[in-house]
């Protein structure tokens, strides 16, 4: 900002670098979701992304750097998509919030959380990341639900809803739980209406 | 049943065998919760339980046998403890249900679920175990909450509560989430009261 740089030389290189970074992050999330932490190394991700190991390490010096950045990147993408949703009925909002916890991002984040619970090197970074993503998701949920948190119990109601969404995500890890989940979401959207209005 | 065996010789041996089995199961759960699936082998568990590797393999021929049996054993212990609770107010019942998901059993089960999502050998057994434990927990919850599932929405309300409990368990894996959890539990117990009465 404020400094004008000649775009001709640098922009394409920066674009390439940014594209490489994005490819690495997306490959890292897919790898974590499919193979877990134990099966996810920088080399495996670099190969999947079609990037040399050296280039991967230039972007992310350590394995921890790569995978926490990957989960954060996808969380931000998902937050942006959630924010861009048109304002809808509350059932749709609840369903969209719950959807955040059933895709590959949740699978990848889950692998990272569980690995962090056993790996001292990973733990502080993942704890910090989880807190940040959690706060952001809560903010978006409050906004989309039109919840007035100055009223008693509303904050805890929204928190419980997001905890429920996380639990529904976990129930979907081993089996396709879609049919049951839709019934639970429909019922709790009704209950929320009573509290939030 | 029906066959009378002389108890003098066999009973102490059976008792010893049962005690060994229990020590192995408890060691397996602790090991899984602390070190994850990758760090949990039959040898590590046998050593922790003070049992020879051969004796451990006599009881549990494979690693999958040992760890699924371990999670099932502790789940049954917890169900029995939950059933034995004196009938209480609904907030206490909700808190007791949520407690099922915050201790070492949940940590161990979580490690097993996540490992099963990446390991084909483990997956069918853990899926079956999870379904069985889930049905049993639901049954106990309905009973303790005095919920009438013939009324529309009640079944899904109880399911959502248990999903929330699972999500609260996950939120407690990396950090001590007790204070927030207690506020969420108090609020959701109020919401349940409105629906279930």
């Amino acid at each position: 900002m404020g400094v004008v740089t000649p775009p001709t030389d640098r922009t394409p290189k920066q674009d390439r670098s940014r594209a490489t970074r994005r490819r690495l992050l997306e490959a890292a999330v897919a790898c974590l979701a499919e193979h877990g932490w134990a099966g996810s190394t920088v080399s495996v991700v670099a190969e999947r992304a079609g990037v040399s190991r050296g280039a991967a390490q230039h972007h992310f010096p350590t394995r921890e750097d790569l995978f926490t950045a990957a989960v954060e990147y996808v969380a931000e993408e998902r937050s942006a998509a959630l924010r861009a949703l048109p304002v809808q009925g509350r059932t749709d909002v609840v369903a969209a919030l719950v959807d955040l916890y059933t895709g590959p991002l949740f699978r990848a984040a889950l692998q990272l959380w569980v690995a962090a619970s056993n790996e001292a090197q990973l733990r502080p970074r993942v704890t910090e990341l989880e807190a940040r993503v959690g706060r952001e998701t809560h903010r978006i949920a409050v906004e989309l639900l039109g919840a007035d948190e100055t009223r008693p119990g509303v904050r805890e109601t929204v928190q419980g809803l997001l905890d429920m969404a996380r639990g529904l995500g976990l129930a979907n890890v081993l089996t396709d739980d879609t049919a049951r989940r839709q019934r639970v979401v429909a019922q709790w959207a009704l209950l929320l209406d009573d509290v939030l209005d």
Side-chain angles (χ1 to χ4, degrees), chain A residues 44-187:
Chain A
V44 168
V45 171
E47 197 183 328
R48 183 173 190 137
V51 169
S52 73
R53 196 165 188 285
Q57 283 189 317
H58 167 75
H59 284 276
F60 304 102
T62 71
R63 189 183 175 203
E64 288 76 16
D65 290 333
L66 172 59
F67 288 98
T68 51
V71 168
E72 179 157 32
Y73 164 75
V74 187
E76 279 166 5
E77 297 273 297
R78 297 298 311 258
S79 292
L82 203 54
R83 280 179 195 287
L85 282 180
V87 178
Q88 307 152 301
R90 214 162 256 153
T91 303
D92 291 339
V93 169
V94 173
L97 288 169
V98 168
D99 274 353
L100 280 181
Y101 296 87
T102 53
L105 167 63
F106 178 76
R107 275 166 209 272
L110 181 62
Q111 300 281 354
L112 201 63
W113 291 335
V114 168
S117 76
N118 309 314
E119 311 232 359
Q121 230 181 332
L122 203 52
R123 192 177 180 125
R125 302 185 56 165
V126 175
T127 303
E128 192 272 327
L129 173 61
E130 193 190 339
R132 195 141 36 88
V133 170
R135 279 193 301 271
E136 179 63 8
T137 308
H138 185 89
R139 246 196 307 272
I140 297 174
V142 166
E143 199 178 308
L144 289 174
L145 291 166
D148 175 5
E149 289 202 305
T150 63
R151 288 171 50 210
V154 166
R155 182 173 175 74
E156 291 74 18
T157 302
V158 175
Q159 287 183 333
L161 171 68
L162 293 174
D163 288 309
M164 189 187 73
R166 202 185 296 116
L168 286 167
L170 198 49
N172 201 55
V173 164
L174 292 182
T175 52
D176 178 0
D177 191 41
T178 309
R180 186 190 75 91
R181 183 171 65 249
Q182 284 170 347
R183 292 193 296 270
V184 170
V185 163
Q187 170 64 8

